[in-house]
C-alpha cells in the first residue's frame, strides 16, 4: 500500500506479474495460465481448476491449447474415468513449467517486496512533502 491507514493512498498497491511473451510481445503464458497449471496439478481436474479460478471450462481449455501451441509441448494428460472417475494431470513438461514458475516466484517475491517497500517510502515522501 502506498499510504498509511486512513490516507488518500491507502488503497493503492503495486502489482507485478510474470508472463512469457514472444518477440512480437504476444503473450504466451501469463499469471492466469500459470495459476491454471497450479490448480490443475492440485485438483487433477480442469473443471475444478476452472471453477476455483472463476473461469469457464471452455476458457481454461482455450488457454491450455494456446500455450501448448506456442511452446510446442503438451501440458496436460487426460485419463478417462472408471469407477473413481477421470482425472487430468500435468505432463512431465507441464510439471517442469509449473515448478520453474513456482521457483521463480519464490525468488522474485521477497526481492520485489523489498524494492516495493522502498518505492512506497519515496511515494509517501512525495505526498506528505517530507
Amino acid at each position: 500500500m502506498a499510504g498509511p491507514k486512513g490516507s488518500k493512498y491507502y488503497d493503492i498497491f503495486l502489482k507485478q506479474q510474470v508472463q512469457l511473451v514472444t518477440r512480437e510481445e504476444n503473450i504466451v503464458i501469463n499469471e492466469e495460465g500459470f495459476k491454471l497449471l497450479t490448480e490443475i496439478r492440485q485438483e487433477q481436474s480442469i473443471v475444478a481448476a476452472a471453477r476455483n479460478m472463476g473461469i469457464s471450462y471452455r476458457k481454461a481449455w482455450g488457454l491450455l491449447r494456446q500455450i501448448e501451441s506456442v511452446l510446442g509441448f503438451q501440458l496436460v494428460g487426460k485419463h478417462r474415468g472408471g469407477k473413481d472417475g477421470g482425472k487430468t494431470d500435468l505432463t512431465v513438461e507441464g510439471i517442469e513449467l509449473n515448478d520453474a514458475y513456482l521457483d521463480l516466484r519464490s525468488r522474485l517475491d521477497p526481492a520485489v517486496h523489498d524494492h516495493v517497500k522502498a518505492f512506497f517510502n519515496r511515494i509517501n515522501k512525495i505526498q506528505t512533502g517530507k
Side-chain angles (χ1 to χ4, degrees):
M1 85 190 102
K5 190 168 186 154
S7 79
K8 177 179 172 182
Y9 303 107
Y10 180 70
D11 291 326
I12 296 176
F13 299 87
L14 185 104
K15 184 174 182 179
Q16 86 126 42
Q17 296 186 13
V18 172
Q19 58 185 9
L20 298 178
V21 298
T22 64
R23 191 175 301 270
E24 296 80 26
E25 295 292 320
N26 297 317
I27 295 172
V28 176
I29 184 170
N30 59 13
E31 291 286 344
E32 185 177 42
F34 285 121
K35 174 113 174 96
L36 179 60
L37 293 180
T38 301
E39 288 288 335
I40 291 170
R41 190 174 186 178
Q42 291 172 353
E43 297 291 339
Q44 295 186 330
S45 165
I46 295 174
V47 172
R51 184 178 50 244
N52 290 351
M53 293 177 61
I55 64 174
S56 70
Y57 175 80
R58 182 181 178 137
K59 181 175 181 179
W61 259 118
L63 282 171
L64 291 170
R65 281 193 216 112
Q66 177 186 347
I67 297 164
E68 289 175 341
S69 72
V70 176
L71 293 180
F73 55 82
Q74 192 174 348
L75 297 171
V76 295
K78 294 180 80 170
H79 306 281
R80 283 223 182 274
K83 71 175 186 143
D84 297 322
K87 68 178 186 173
T88 303
D89 288 325
L90 295 183
T91 61
V92 171
E93 296 84 1
I95 290 169
E96 286 296 322
L97 179 60
N98 187 242
D99 284 348
Y101 165 74
L102 294 173
D103 183 53
L104 177 63
R105 289 308 302 243
S106 74
R107 294 168 190 261
L108 276 179
D109 289 348
V112 169
H113 178 269
D114 293 342
H115 292 290
V116 168
K117 187 174 180 181
F119 171 80
F120 279 132
N121 284 337
R122 290 183 70 180
I123 297 297
N124 287 328
K125 288 178 185 173
I126 294 168
Q127 73 186 25
T128 61
K130 294 180 185 176

